[in-house]
């Protein structure tokens, strides 16, 4: 292979990388694997991707560059023959109530054009069919499809009368105050009569009357005032006004989100919904499953639609190819998992005419059932076969199999990683002595003895999202796995369980945990406080001296370690603080040492090293949960904003490990974990159950299923094709189930 057909990296030192050099073959699939924290992302994302993006940005005029994202110069000596990189990561689009699968993939824009040209009757041009346009959106919900509904029983105490204090739970409604006068002095109500005893006519007048001029009000009624029902008034002058923003804390408990009654959740007004093609309006089409939309398109025979039909078909088929056929176009992007959002991005590029592009995918298999993996594999191969180079950061066994070239990082995590310990083919990896090779080659057996549930909880008539009126018995006191293909209703079932269960359920997702530049593993679990107390006690300098949020913080960066430059409408820029060198602390604070190290050095220790240094103390006790969840490689002062979703989830889990007799629900806790780390976290879940906890895992990983005491499988498909109970029982019984989608894949992963 000629030098031009290789990406050459020399002297990469980003984060924990140990001055590594390698050559990556172009127009091939290269998989980067290794234990969590081994340096995969540092090499692929922080070095290769960042270099490509930076070099591309520098080709634009300086005027254009000021509007582009800023990428720092990676710590690498040289990179040669680097193509333009497109990074497809798991970061979900910025939260936006108006972003749907249809708008994000640009399919909705094509549908709008189709209806404006072919729909009958003609109601307007393309913009008219947008729920973000004044002519198209529903006026009542402003194109959001839902409204904030007032719970009148949380606003009014029906067991009280108007003369009682706190009969209406809002500002200025106490007896004698100006809002109370509008009802008490109207002459319409008996002030000593309980609200619950009002006649239907009185109650309707009190709550829902429009503005009316009173003929004979009582003494004290404002001369120019009009009477208005309480609920009507709350919506007009409080909820939908600037005042509502001021008193949101008071209003929030009284409000619930509900489907807009005017548009039925479609976001569009009646005029737009009157325009149809083959008896379907645009809202009805976006609510259909993607295969059904494809069938509907086939039935359109108008010649004006020919080009639009082809463009729509290409994009819809791309979503099906990637395993997202169960999604509807009206689904909010905010409801998708990180893996689903990532696959939406991949779908954009599957049929792209571009070639010789470097595609970088960060764990695209996350959130995918084994049944759907073959679709993803086909899509990745399709990207490569268009003469592109594909780099995957991956742990999934089946995804590693499709690699033309494999790079295994390690051998450990954090400072113990950062080396290339293997390069070669999949077959060579299986015969290597690396942890990855050994763990993939070794197939684990089913658990020999399963626990007997200590009790059962019945979830009744679950109808959330795609659930089809399910009634399911969930076992308590065991490790239970909720399985099924992506979109089958697993998370929806557990949401119903959490609402129906009388106990406080600890739900640990992969969402952010209130992360910021100032939030670290040490501050999150409270260990940082103990280290500061130790320094204050030994040096007599005062506790505040050793806090980067207090007196001990660098006066220039205010304890952040970086200078954040707000660029208004552009991306913010972070640069290391030159005054403290990124250490966060002032020179005065750094003068004090305990056992030979200063506060910055103490906080820069890894969890593992800190545990050894402070063995037998309260500090070591607080760090133990982080060790148990496999995060010993993290630095105590590492910003939580730099952690992956799986790492954040484990940090949260660590904070709950001391709990006993509780119910835990974890959403795909193995995402982003190496095979070795998965075995460690399974052992942790077993210990949690032995402590008297109930553990429910929403999972696809087959090794986790093998270790389960009980399995509940939903399906058979995703979206409208899911939501049914396929199986409930032990993993051994699952293998005998003819309905199960998971059973064949589980059987293949068992030792011969």
């Amino acid at each position: 292979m000629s030098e031009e057909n290789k990406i050459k990296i020399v002297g990469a030192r980003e984060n924990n990388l140990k001055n590594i050099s390698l050559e990556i073959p172009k127009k091939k699939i290269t998989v980067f694997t290794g234990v969590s924290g081994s340096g995969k992302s540092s090499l692929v994302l922080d070095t290769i991707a960042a270099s490509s993006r930076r070099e591309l940005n520098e080709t634009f005029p300086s005027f254009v560059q000021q509007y582009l994202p800023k990428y720092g110069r990676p710590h690498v000596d040289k990179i040669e023959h680097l193509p333009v990189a497109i990074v497809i990561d798991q970061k979900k689009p910025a939260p936006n109530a108006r972003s749907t699968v249809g708008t994000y993939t640009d399919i909705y824009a094509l549908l709008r054009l189709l209806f404006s040209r072919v729909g009958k009757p003609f109601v307007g041009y393309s913009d008219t069919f947008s729920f973000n346009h004044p002519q198209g959106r529903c006026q009542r919900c402003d194109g959001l499809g839902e409204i904030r509904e007032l719970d009148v029983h949380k606003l009014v105490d029906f067991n009280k009368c108007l003369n009682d204090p706190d009969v209406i739970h809002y500002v200025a409604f106490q007896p004698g105050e100006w809002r109370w006068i509008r009802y008490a002095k109207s002459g319409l109500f008996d002030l000593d009569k309980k609200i619950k005893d009002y006649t239907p006519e009185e109650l309707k007048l009190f709550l829902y009357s429009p503005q009316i001029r009173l003929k004979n009000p009582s003494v004290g009624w404002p001369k120019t005032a009009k009477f208005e029902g309480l609920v009507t008034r709350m919506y007009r002058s409080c909820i939908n006004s600037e005042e509502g923003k001021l008193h949101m804390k008071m209003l929030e408990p009284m409000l619930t989100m509900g489907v807009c009654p005017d548009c039925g959740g479609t976001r569009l007004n009646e005029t737009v919904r009157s325009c149809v093609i083959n008896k379907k309006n645009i809202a009805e089409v976006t609510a259909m499953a993607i295969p059904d939309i494809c069938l509907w398109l086939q039935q359109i025979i108008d010649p004006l639609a020919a080009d639009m039909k082809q463009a729509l078909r290409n994009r819809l088929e791309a979503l099906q190819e990637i395993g997202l056929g169960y999604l509807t176009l009206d689904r909010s992007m905010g409801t998708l998992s990180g893996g689903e959002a990532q696959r939406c991005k991949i779908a954009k590029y599957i049929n792209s005419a571009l070639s010789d592009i470097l595609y970088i995918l960060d764990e695209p298999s996350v959130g995918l059932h084994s049944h759907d993996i073959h679709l993803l594999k086909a899509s990745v191969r399709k990207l490569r076969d268009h003469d592109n180079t594909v780099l995957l950061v991956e742990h999934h066994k089946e995804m590693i199999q499709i690699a033309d070239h494999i790079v295994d990082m390690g051998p450990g995590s954090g400072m113990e990683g950062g080396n290339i310990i293997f390069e070669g083919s999949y077959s060579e990896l299986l015969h290597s002595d690396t942890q990855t090779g050994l763990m993939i080659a070794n197939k684990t057996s089913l658990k020999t003895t399963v626990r007997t549930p200590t009790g059962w909880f019945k979830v009744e008539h679950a109808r959330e999202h795609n659930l089809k009126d399910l009634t399911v018995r969930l076992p308590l006191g065991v490790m239970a796995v909720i399985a099924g293909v992506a979109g089958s209703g697993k998370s929806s079932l557990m949401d119903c369980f959490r609402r129906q269960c009388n106990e406080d359920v600890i739900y640990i997702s992969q969402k952010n945990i209130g992360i910021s530049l100032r939030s670290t593993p040490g501050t999150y679990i409270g260990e940082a406080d103990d280290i500061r107390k130790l320094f204050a006690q030994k040096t007599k300098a005062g506790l505040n001296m050793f806090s980067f949020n207090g007196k001990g913080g660098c006066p220039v960066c205010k304890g952040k370690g970086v200078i954040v430059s707000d660029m208004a409408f552009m991306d913010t820029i972070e640069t290391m603080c030159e005054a403290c060198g990124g250490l966060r602390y002032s020179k005065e604070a750094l003068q004090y040492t305990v056992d030979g190290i200063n506060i910055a050095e103490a906080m820069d220790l890894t969890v593992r090293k800190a545990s050894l240094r402070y063995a037998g103390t309260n500090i070591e006790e607080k760090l133990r949960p982080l060790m148990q969840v496999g995060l010993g490689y993290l630095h105590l002062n590492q910003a939580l904003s730099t952690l992956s979703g799986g790492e954040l989830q484990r940090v949260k889990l660590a904070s709950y490990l001391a709990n006993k007799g509780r119910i835990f629900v974890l959403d795909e806790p193995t995402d982003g974990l190496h095979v070795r780390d998965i075995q460690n976290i399974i052992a942790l879940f077993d210990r949690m159950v032995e402590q008297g906890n109930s553990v429910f895992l929403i999972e696809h990983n087959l090794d986790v299923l093998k270790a389960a005491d009980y399995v509940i499988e939903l399906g058979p498909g995703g979206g409208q094709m899911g939501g049914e109970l396929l199986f409930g029982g032990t993993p051994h019984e699952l293998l005998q189930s003819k309905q199960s989608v998971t059973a064949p894949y589980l059987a293949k992963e068992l030792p011969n």
Side-chain angles (χ1 to χ4, degrees):
M1 185 180 291
S2 66
E3 291 296 314
E4 289 78 14
N5 289 325
K6 300 176 182 176
I7 301 170
K8 189 175 181 179
I9 298 139
V10 179
R13 301 177 303 280
E14 193 71 18
N15 298 327
N16 67 334
L17 299 180
K18 305 292 196 302
N19 198 36
I20 63 173
S21 300
L22 74 158
E23 293 180 345
I24 301 170
K26 285 186 177 181
K27 301 180 181 179
K28 302 288 185 183
I29 298 172
T30 298
V31 171
F32 292 80
T33 189
V35 298
S36 301
S38 59
K40 305 182 297 297
S41 296
S42 296
L43 177 58
V44 178
L45 297 172
D46 300 338
T47 302
I48 300 173
S51 294
S52 178
R53 288 170 156 182
R54 191 172 184 277
E55 294 286 343
L56 179 63
N57 285 1
E58 288 181 354
T59 65
F60 294 101
S62 55
F63 174 78
V64 176
Q65 289 185 39
Q66 67 178 319
Y67 298 100
L68 298 174
K70 305 297 187 293
Y71 302 100
R73 186 183 296 276
H75 293 92
V76 60
D77 292 339
K78 184 169 60 176
I79 300 183
E80 295 179 350
H81 314 301
L82 182 61
V84 172
I86 294 176
V87 179
I88 306 173
D89 56 23
Q90 292 185 41
K91 289 182 180 177
K92 296 170 68 173
N96 187 341
R98 300 186 180 277
S99 181
T100 65
V101 172
T103 60
Y104 185 74
T105 57
D106 293 328
I107 295 173
Y108 192 67
L110 290 169
L111 279 175
R112 290 195 286 114
L113 186 62
L114 178 67
F115 271 86
S116 70
R117 298 290 190 272
V118 182
K120 300 293 186 238
F122 175 80
V123 298
Y125 296 104
S126 175
D127 285 349
T128 305
F129 292 86
S130 171
F131 45 75
N132 295 321
H133 195 278
Q135 287 184 288
R137 66 186 177 218
C138 169
Q139 293 300 312
R140 181 163 182 177
C141 65
D142 197 36
L144 294 174
E146 54 185 12
I147 59 172
R148 292 188 296 178
E149 292 184 327
L150 181 66
D151 188 337
V152 69
H153 291 278
K154 292 181 179 178
L155 174 66
V156 180
D157 189 339
F158 281 67
N159 291 313
K160 292 183 177 180
C161 62
L162 283 172
N163 271 334
D164 290 331
D166 204 32
V167 61
I168 301 172
H169 313 311
Y170 193 68
V171 178
F173 274 111
Q174 294 298 317
E177 297 189 21
W178 67 275
R179 277 193 170 120
W180 175 86
I181 289 172
R182 298 292 181 95
Y183 298 91
K185 303 296 184 181
S186 65
L188 300 174
F189 310 104
D190 182 348
L191 303 189
D192 295 315
K193 186 177 181 180
K194 292 181 178 180
I195 308 296
K196 68 178 183 179
D197 296 330
Y198 282 14
T199 66
E201 291 77 17
E202 286 175 325
L203 195 61
K204 185 179 179 181
L205 183 67
F206 176 63
L207 295 176
Y208 303 109
S209 171
Q211 285 189 351
I212 55 174
R213 184 79 63 182
L214 298 179
K215 294 181 179 178
N216 297 302
S218 302
V219 178
W221 178 258
K223 290 183 180 180
T224 59
K226 293 181 179 178
F227 177 81
E228 187 176 25
L230 178 62
V231 172
T232 311
R233 180 186 181 92
M234 288 295 296
Y235 275 111
R236 180 185 61 80
S237 67
C238 302
I239 297 172
N240 299 324
S241 71
E242 289 297 317
E243 182 182 327
K245 296 177 182 178
L246 294 174
H247 300 292
M248 188 48 65
K249 284 187 177 180
M250 189 179 297
L251 281 172
E252 203 64 49
M254 308 176 191
L255 299 173
T256 57
M257 295 303 291
V259 175
C260 174
D262 286 10
C263 68
T266 65
R267 303 169 179 254
L268 298 164
N269 60 42
E270 190 175 358
T271 302
V272 173
R273 300 198 310 271
S274 70
C275 179
V276 298
I277 301 176
N278 291 344
K279 300 181 180 179
K280 297 284 185 184
N281 62 41
I282 192 169
E284 290 170 328
V285 172
T286 58
M288 295 161 62
I290 287 170
D292 295 333
I293 299 177
C294 292
L295 290 173
W296 172 79
L297 280 174
Q298 289 178 8
Q299 299 166 0
I300 302 174
I301 58 176
D302 194 312
L304 284 174
D307 289 343
M308 289 173 284
K309 281 173 59 180
Q310 186 58 48
L312 278 164
R313 193 178 296 113
N314 289 343
R315 300 195 182 204
L316 291 167
E317 288 175 353
L319 287 173
Q320 285 185 279
E321 283 182 38
I322 204 70
L324 295 176
Y326 60 89
L327 293 180
T328 58
L329 298 181
D330 63 356
R331 179 146 170 202
S332 172
M333 285 299 293
T335 66
L336 301 189
S337 67
E340 287 172 326
Q342 186 186 38
R343 292 195 291 280
C344 280
K345 298 176 190 176
I346 296 173
K348 285 186 175 183
Y349 301 107
I350 288 176
N351 296 312
S352 173
L354 295 173
S355 65
D356 204 16
I357 298 293
L358 174 62
Y359 287 100
I360 296 175
L361 284 72
D362 184 16
E363 298 196 46
S365 65
V366 165
L368 275 184
H369 187 275
S370 298
H371 177 71
D372 302 314
I373 287 289
H374 73 281
L375 298 172
L376 176 63
K377 289 160 66 175
S379 298
V380 173
R381 287 189 177 113
K382 194 171 182 179
L383 287 176
R384 175 200 60 190
D385 295 343
H386 286 173
D387 287 334
N388 297 305
T389 304
V390 182
L391 306 186
L392 300 181
V393 177
E394 255 305 346
H395 294 109
H396 199 287
K397 296 178 184 179
E398 288 191 55
M399 293 303 297
I400 296 174
Q401 286 177 15
I402 70 170
D404 302 305
H405 187 69
I406 296 171
V407 179
D408 194 6
M409 304 285 296
S413 305
M415 298 309 296
E416 297 171 9
N419 293 301
I420 296 173
I421 57 177
F422 171 84
E423 281 193 82
S425 66
Y426 182 74
S427 59
E428 290 170 336
L429 177 67
L430 294 181
H431 292 92
S432 71
D433 60 354
T434 67
Q435 289 191 67
T436 304
L438 293 171
M439 299 293 290
I440 291 177
N442 180 36
K443 293 183 177 179
T444 57
S445 304
L446 293 179
K447 180 185 283 185
T448 53
T449 306
V450 297
R451 300 178 182 89
T452 302
T454 57
W456 297 86
F457 183 91
K458 185 185 282 188
V459 177
E460 298 185 284
H461 304 294
R463 302 186 186 91
E464 186 160 338
H465 299 312
N466 65 334
L467 298 179
K468 296 183 172 58
D469 196 27
L470 282 187
T471 296
V472 184
R473 292 172 75 232
L474 301 180
L476 301 175
V478 300
M479 183 167 73
V481 171
I482 316 300
V485 302
S488 58
K490 304 182 296 295
S491 297
S492 299
L493 175 63
M494 298 318 292
D495 283 341
C496 291
F497 166 61
R498 289 162 58 198
R499 284 198 301 272
Q500 294 184 20
C501 185
N502 293 325
E503 295 186 43
D504 183 23
V505 177
I506 299 173
Y507 177 61
I508 304 177
S509 69
Q510 294 192 18
K511 293 181 179 178
N512 289 350
I513 51 179
I515 60 176
S516 71
L517 284 171
R518 299 184 183 277
S519 184
T520 68
T523 59
Y524 190 78
I525 65 170
E527 163 274 334
D529 292 336
D530 291 322
I531 292 181
R532 286 198 294 269
K533 288 176 183 176
L534 176 65
F535 269 76
Q537 182 184 349
K538 292 289 182 73
T539 64
K540 311 296 183 185
L543 188 62
N544 206 30
M545 176 60 71
F546 303 104
S547 171
F548 54 71
N549 294 322
K551 185 180 177 182
C554 170
V556 178
C557 65
K558 309 300 183 186
K560 294 179 180 178
V562 295
I563 303 296
V564 181
S565 302
D566 186 0
M567 305 302 288
F569 49 84
M570 296 184 292
D571 288 357
T572 57
I573 299 174
E574 293 182 9
T575 55
M576 181 183 292
C577 175
E578 294 182 359
C580 66
L583 297 178
R584 300 173 178 254
Y585 295 92
S586 66
K587 291 180 180 179
E588 184 183 0
L590 296 175
Q591 290 176 352
Y592 298 96
T593 61
V594 174
D595 297 330
I597 61 174
N598 59 37
I599 185 65
E601 291 168 329
M603 291 299 186
D604 194 44
L605 293 170
T606 64
V607 171
R608 186 176 293 109
K609 288 182 179 179
S611 296
L612 294 171
R613 188 178 186 90
Y614 301 109
T617 68
N618 190 47
I619 297 172
E620 190 243 347
E621 188 176 333
K622 286 189 176 181
L623 291 173
R624 193 176 298 129
L626 287 175
M627 293 289 293
Q628 291 175 332
V629 298
L631 295 177
Y633 59 90
L634 292 182
H635 289 258
L636 299 179
N637 63 352
Q638 189 169 340
L640 291 182
S641 56
T642 65
L643 304 190
S644 68
E647 287 171 327
L648 286 171
Q649 189 184 40
R650 280 182 284 157
V651 170
K652 284 192 285 187
L653 177 60
S655 67
Y656 287 109
L657 286 187
N659 286 265
K660 297 180 180 180
R662 303 293 298 277
I663 298 174
F664 289 83
V665 176
L666 289 94
D667 189 6
E668 302 192 31
T670 65
D671 284 359
L673 290 185
H674 186 267
V675 186
R676 184 200 70 178
D677 300 317
I678 289 173
Q679 296 302 326
N680 293 336
I681 204 163
I682 288 172
L684 173 64
F685 293 145
D686 274 325
R687 290 198 298 272
M688 290 172 64
V689 175
E690 292 300 321
Q691 291 174 351
N693 298 300
S694 301
V695 178
F696 293 93
L697 308 175
I698 302 170
E699 260 299 344
H700 297 107
N701 187 276
L702 295 175
D703 286 337
V704 177
L705 261 73
K706 295 175 189 177
D709 299 306
Y710 199 89
V711 178
I712 293 167
E713 184 177 0
L714 302 183
Q720 297 176 357
M721 296 175 285
E724 300 175 16
L725 179 65
L726 300 184
F727 173 80
T730 67
H732 287 275
E733 294 167 341
L734 177 67
L735 291 174
Q736 311 304 317
S737 173
K738 294 183 179 178
Q739 284 187 296
S740 173
V741 177
T742 304
Y745 299 98
L746 183 62
K748 283 172 59 178
E749 283 298 310
L750 293 174
N752 296 325

